[in-house]
């Protein structure tokens, strides 16, 4: 079963990410960029990117 990561985007509201499909995570100025297995990218725009990054890494470790 895939782990789902839930977060609140500043502009779009609640968004969900399937953790097992993440290939790469990058940090830019105030945003996180998540690259998936199929090459798609998702930009995470949150108030506290450092905290969201830590939570996302913890979700990946649980898999």
């Amino acid at each position: 079963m895939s782990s789902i990561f839930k977060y609140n985007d500043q502009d779009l509201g609640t968004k969900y990410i399937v953790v097992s499909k993440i290939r790469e995570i990058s940090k830019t100025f105030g945003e996180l960029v998540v690259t998936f297995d199929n090459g798609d990218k998702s930009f995470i725009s949150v108030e506290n990117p450092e905290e969201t990054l830590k939570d996302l890494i913890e979700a990946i470790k649980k898999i």
Side-chain angles (χ1 to χ4, degrees):
M1 181 172 204
S2 299
S3 180
I4 304 293
F5 181 74
K6 175 181 165 183
Y7 67 95
N8 291 319
D9 191 282
Q10 289 177 344
D11 300 324
L12 302 174
T14 304
K15 292 180 74 175
Y16 301 89
I17 293 177
V18 178
V19 176
S20 63
K21 298 295 182 183
I22 294 174
R23 180 176 27 164
E24 180 181 313
I25 302 171
S26 306
K27 186 176 158 198
T28 63
F29 298 108
E31 286 187 334
L32 299 175
V33 180
V34 179
T35 305
F36 297 98
D37 288 342
N38 64 358
D40 288 349
K41 293 185 186 235
S42 178
F43 296 90
I44 300 176
S45 177
V46 292
E47 289 183 22
N48 190 350
E50 289 290 330
E51 185 67 31
T52 303
L53 179 60
K54 288 178 186 176
D55 293 342
L56 190 52
I57 290 172
E58 286 300 318
I60 291 170
K61 287 180 181 179
K62 289 181 182 178
I63 292 181

